[in-house]
Amino acid sequence: WKRWCEITERSWALPLALLIGLALLGLLWTKDLPAGLKVAEATGYGVYAFMGATLPWRQFWVRWLIRLFLSGLLLNAIAAFLMTWKILPWHNEDYIVYTGFADHIWLSMALTHALLWILWDIRNKWNLSVWFNLILGVIFFIQLAITPGRSGQLLFVLLMPAAVWILFSGKWRYWALSAITLTVIGMSLSPIVQSRAELGIKNLEQFITNPSVTTTSWGERLATMWAGIDMFYEHPLLGVGTGDFALGMKDLQARHMITETPGAVGDSAANSYISEAAVLGVPGLLLLLWFLITLSKEAWDARMTPQGWFILSYLGIFWIGGLYNTLTWGCADAFTIAILSGLPLTKRAIIDIKTERN
């Protein structure tokens, strides 16, 4: 904390501090304090961003932070394959094949993040050798293609071409885009991907023709989004209160304003932005957007540094993935964005890292 003045240089500090404060303040009018404390806890992980911003970061530590991230995914991939093949006695998370010890939605997004980072490192040769990156890339891509994680698979299709366009120029850009196109085609040939895509389309059509059927993944998501929009419409200034989403949804269902969701408890809108607007109103939504925009600008300005690209690629996942998942309230993603926000992105910090010897 001797370097606390570093916090004042970070453009995201003010909106994040206000968002944490508003989430705590929202506990005053919540009707479900236990749920409110869980949401406040996830938002409160932002404290780690302030702590990270005060650390004397060096290139060595940034490199090892990324290596540990990749190592964790690699170990989980090895365990996932061995458990699925019955070589190890344990079972995959939720008994979903090839997921290892991770939730399949989170894992699919983490694998996409790793692949986006590997693309940067292959171009810049900063962290690992090209061949080692290629081996990791193949392992992570195979796992992404054969697990039922539509969230990460969609993000891969959307973000990888954009990453190629940003990182490469001239003929290399088109070679890289061709390679990415082939990988997307290869992913689309996976029976698991095809079955999940067909199921998603079928579920969406089913909900459109009969909104009362919410026993599917799409049905539950759309029903909770609908509930979140109604909550925001009824309580635009302060929202329903931190953690009150589930009670608010039950109230809307009791008044027959939204469809029933038998067997499912809607504790979020399956959308980061709608969820925040529902519980904290306009102020909560604006503070979240202010925080993400300012952090994104910092990361974009530093995109050709390792930490800048690592954060920017994750923010692409956070921005888009937040449209169909409430990432702001998930402990794993709330903790991740807090830790990454604290990485050095300001001009002075970037110069410190670039001038330091490996």
Side-chain angles (χ1 to χ4, degrees), residues 25 47 55 66 75 97 100 102 107 137 142 153 165 179 230 233 235 244 277 284 299 303 311 319 344:
L25 189 64
V47 171
L55 295 176
I66 296 172
L75 290 174
V97 295
L107 177 64
I142 291 174
Q153 292 162 356
W165 195 265
D230 278 356
Y233 179 77
H235 307 274
D244 256 13
R303 63 189 178 278
I311 300 172
W319 274 107

Side-chain angles (χ1 to χ4, degrees), residues 26 29-33 35-36 39 231 240-249 267 279 329:
W29 59 88
T30 185
K31 297 176 183 177
D32 189 349
L33 188 58
V39 173
M231 288 181 219
V240 295
T242 304
D244 256 13
F245 191 94
L247 290 181
M249 185 166 178
D267 55 3
V279 300
W329 297 352

Side-chain angles (χ1 to χ4, degrees), residues 3-332:
R3 294 162 56 95
W4 66 269
C5 289
E6 299 286 336
I7 295 175
T8 61
E9 297 183 9
R10 309 305 295 270
S11 57
W12 50 258
L14 179 59
L16 179 57
L18 292 174
L19 182 60
I20 294 173
L22 184 60
L24 293 173
L25 189 64
L27 294 174
L28 295 177
W29 59 88
T30 185
K31 297 176 183 177
D32 189 349
L33 188 58
L37 289 173
K38 290 181 180 179
V39 173
E41 177 188 7
T43 308
Y45 281 147
V47 171
Y48 289 105
F50 296 103
M51 295 171 64
T54 65
L55 295 176
W57 286 99
R58 295 292 180 266
Q59 191 180 59
F60 174 83
W61 296 114
V62 174
R63 177 178 279 115
W64 272 101
L65 175 68
I66 296 172
R67 286 180 179 178
L68 289 172
F69 167 68
L70 297 174
S71 298
L73 284 178
L74 178 60
L75 290 174
N76 184 72
I78 294 172
F81 281 94
L82 294 179
M83 287 190 291
T84 302
W85 297 338
K86 307 299 182 182
I87 297 174
L88 289 179
W90 309 302
H91 63 80
N92 290 280
E93 183 73 14
D94 296 328
Y95 294 92
I96 300 175
V97 295
Y98 298 111
T99 56
F101 299 104
D103 171 79
H104 69 286
I105 297 176
W106 179 88
L107 177 64
S108 68
M109 293 189 287
L111 290 170
T112 298
H113 187 201
L115 290 167
L116 289 167
W117 163 257
I118 288 170
L119 183 68
W120 186 95
D121 202 30
I122 287 175
R123 179 190 182 278
N124 293 281
K125 304 177 182 66
W126 177 80
N127 193 24
L128 301 171
S129 69
V130 172
W131 284 108
F132 198 76
N133 271 317
L134 287 174
I135 292 172
L136 285 179
V138 170
I139 294 172
F140 294 158
F141 177 76
I142 291 174
Q143 189 178 21
L144 178 64
I146 63 177
T147 52
R150 289 179 297 197
S151 295
Q153 292 162 356
L154 176 60
L155 288 166
F156 178 89
V157 172
L158 294 176
L159 293 176
M160 195 60 75
V164 167
W165 195 265
I166 294 170
L167 294 175
F168 296 90
S169 60
K171 63 179 182 180
W172 289 107
R173 174 180 290 172
Y174 298 102
W175 279 110
L177 283 175
S178 299
I180 295 302
T181 301
L182 290 176
T183 59
V184 172
I185 293 173
M187 179 185 289
S188 67
L189 296 176
S190 165
I192 295 176
V193 173
Q194 291 178 350
S195 64
R196 294 293 291 176
E198 291 172 0
L199 179 62
I201 295 172
K202 182 180 178 181
N203 292 163
L204 183 59
E205 292 174 343
Q206 184 179 15
F207 184 82
I208 292 173
T209 55
N210 188 2
S212 62
V213 178
T214 57
T215 55
T216 64
S217 175
W218 263 112
E220 291 177 6
R221 287 172 189 266
L222 292 173
T224 54
M225 290 180 189
W226 184 0
I229 293 171
D230 278 356
M231 288 181 219
F232 178 56
Y233 179 77
E234 292 186 352
H235 307 274
L237 295 181
L238 295 176
V240 295
T242 304
D244 256 13
F245 191 94
L247 290 181
M249 185 166 178
K250 289 179 180 178
D251 176 62
L252 290 170
Q253 289 172 331
R255 290 186 280 147
H256 305 290
M257 294 186 66
I258 62 169
T259 183
E260 296 288 336
T261 52
V265 178
D267 55 3
S268 79
N271 179 297
S272 296
Y273 317 105
I274 297 176
S275 295
E276 211 68 43
V279 300
L280 295 176
V282 172
L285 177 60
L286 292 180
L287 286 173
L288 174 63
L289 294 175
W290 184 10
F291 164 65
L292 291 177
I293 290 170
T294 51
L295 179 58
S296 298
K297 185 180 184 304
E298 280 192 4
W300 176 260
D301 291 342
R303 63 189 178 278
M304 297 315 294
T305 67
Q307 70 274 18
W309 180 258
F310 195 62
I311 300 172
L312 185 65
S313 55
Y314 179 74
L315 281 169
I317 292 169
F318 201 89
W319 274 107
I320 300 175
L323 294 172
Y324 47 86
N325 291 289
T326 304
L327 302 182
T328 47
W329 297 352
C331 291

